[in-house]
Amino acid sequence: MVLPAESRQYRCSETEAPAAGSPAAGSVFAETWLDLRERADHAARAGLLHPPLNDWLQQRAGQSRQPLQLVDLGCGHGSNLRYLAPRLTGPQQWLLVDHDAALLERTSQRCARLTDDRAQPIHVARRQADLQQPLALDFEHADLISASALLDLVSHQWLEQLAECCHRHAAAALLTLSIDGVIELCDASGQRCEDERDRQLFEALAHHQQRDKGFGTALGSDAPAAARAIFEASGHRVTTARSDWHLAAARDDDCTLLRQLFKGWQQALMEQLPTQQAVITEWYHRHLRQLDAGRLGARIGHLDLLALPPDGAK
């Protein structure tokens, strides 16, 4: 997903990096965006993946009273952990992994009082790490590697490394909120209303989403299909489920989120189509007027993926 330029989480070619000596500067902007999208993310998550994941984790734990070893890769401000912890059964030990040390510290503090589905406290640790090479990260004892809203930023090779990491350690993977290229605009009654100009610009946006985001050529909206194929090739049992954002025209927080999305889309399109800036500017302001009038909503397509190791893998 293309974020507003000031809110992207990693080394994106589309935006200037925070000034040297002030690593928290970009993180503050990122957290503003992440806070804004959290309600939509949590409402969209595919709950039908939780029972098979919980069943597998309990089988993995057996009679042991040891905590489950869970990883949140590219954890951001901890939205994925806040969503999952109260939905997973049994003692939990989470490892938060991100490249931003200041953000990691704030996130671990923010998540320190979370509990599992039986209201028992969980344990949270953190690790600052470069995320570019999943195989270089030591997840030897992990039961589950999870990531949210990350796959569209990474490359095919990065996903192959992640699948290999899960295969080596017989770990499950839960990879959620991956964009799949669906953007449907709707009016106040919920009827689709995108026109030919919208479709042309969204196609250009899809190409922009495949620029290098710091992990090699980004998969963009091809990420869900690539992830499924790669994990199945490694022997995992893969289940996917839709996790679309449904943003209503008259709901204030949905309109605020959409306004930020359009801002990010405008900036990306200006880079992708530099000779069409007047067209893009008119398109952007037309949709802002519709948002201000409570006449524009959207469905933004996402998929969640659960990959379980082959039966008997340990």
Side-chain angles (χ1 to χ4, degrees):
M1 176 170 293
V2 173
L3 309 182
E6 70 272 19
S7 65
R8 296 177 187 131
Q9 295 183 59
Y10 207 67
R11 289 178 288 171
C12 303
S13 58
E14 297 87 352
T15 186
E16 187 174 312
S22 58
S27 301
V28 173
F29 289 116
E31 286 177 274
T32 300
W33 165 253
L34 295 172
D35 284 335
L36 182 61
R37 65 174 288 171
E38 183 165 316
R39 186 202 62 80
D41 282 344
H42 287 196
R45 294 280 289 258
L48 64 85
L49 298 182
H50 302 153
L53 174 58
N54 265 322
D55 289 347
W56 183 85
L57 287 171
Q58 293 310 298
Q59 291 173 8
R60 170 97 158 193
Q63 300 301 314
S64 170
R65 295 188 178 183
Q66 296 300 313
L68 297 168
Q69 301 297 308
L70 311 167
V71 177
D72 189 1
L73 191 58
C75 64
H77 74 158
S79 178
N80 186 43
L81 172 54
R82 282 192 294 279
Y83 179 85
L84 283 175
R87 292 170 172 83
L88 297 182
T89 300
Q92 300 173 30
Q93 180 162 319
W94 281 87
L95 176 63
L96 303 179
V97 184
D98 207 289
H99 72 287
D100 188 322
L103 179 59
L104 263 175
E105 183 174 359
R106 291 193 296 275
T107 298
S108 60
Q109 292 172 356
R110 191 173 182 179
C111 295
R113 297 182 180 276
L114 292 175
T115 59
D116 62 23
D117 71 340
R118 298 175 183 175
Q120 297 301 305
I122 67 170
H123 178 75
V124 178
R126 65 180 186 267
R127 181 194 301 170
Q128 181 188 11
D130 189 326
L131 307 183
Q132 290 191 18
Q133 303 291 332
L135 278 174
L137 301 172
D138 180 15
F139 296 139
E140 182 177 356
H141 302 294
D143 298 308
L144 171 70
I145 298 175
S146 65
S148 183
L150 178 64
L151 295 196
D152 57 289
L153 303 177
V154 306
S155 66
H156 195 276
Q157 182 183 34
W158 190 97
L159 262 181
E160 288 179 328
Q161 285 200 31
L162 181 64
E164 174 62 21
C165 181
C166 292
H167 176 74
R168 286 184 185 181
H169 306 306
L174 181 64
L175 309 171
T176 66
L177 296 165
S178 302
I179 60 169
D180 69 350
V182 173
I183 304 176
E184 295 178 354
L185 303 181
C186 59
D187 59 23
S189 68
Q191 296 298 309
R192 288 182 62 176
C193 65
E194 69 265 16
D195 58 21
E196 186 60 28
R197 175 61 52 74
D198 294 320
R199 287 186 283 272
Q200 291 172 351
L201 293 181
F202 290 151
E203 183 177 351
L205 180 66
H207 290 296
H208 187 279
Q209 289 168 336
Q210 294 182 327
R211 292 187 176 194
D212 189 336
K213 304 297 192 299
F215 301 93
T217 302
L219 285 164
S221 58
D222 293 336
R228 177 166 202 138
I230 289 169
F231 273 91
E232 286 182 338
S234 73
H236 285 77
R237 295 167 287 143
V238 176
T239 305
T240 60
R242 297 214 63 84
S243 53
D244 300 338
W245 282 358
H246 293 276
L247 306 178
R251 186 181 175 112
D252 288 345
D253 47 5
D254 284 354
C255 288
T256 301
L257 181 56
L258 263 175
R259 191 171 287 106
Q260 290 300 310
L261 278 175
F262 272 104
K263 181 180 179 182
W265 291 342
Q266 180 206 28
Q267 293 167 342
L269 289 167
M270 290 290 198
E271 295 169 0
Q272 188 69 18
L273 304 171
T275 64
Q276 298 188 38
Q277 296 201 8
V279 170
I280 295 165
T281 298
E282 185 282 328
W283 173 84
Y284 171 64
H285 287 292
R286 173 165 56 88
H287 286 311
L288 285 192
R289 290 193 294 272
Q290 292 174 312
L291 282 168
D292 290 339
R295 294 188 288 109
L296 187 65
R299 178 170 79 95
I300 313 297
H302 299 86
L303 282 172
D304 288 0
L305 178 148
L306 173 64
L308 299 177
D311 289 336
K314 294 183 179 180

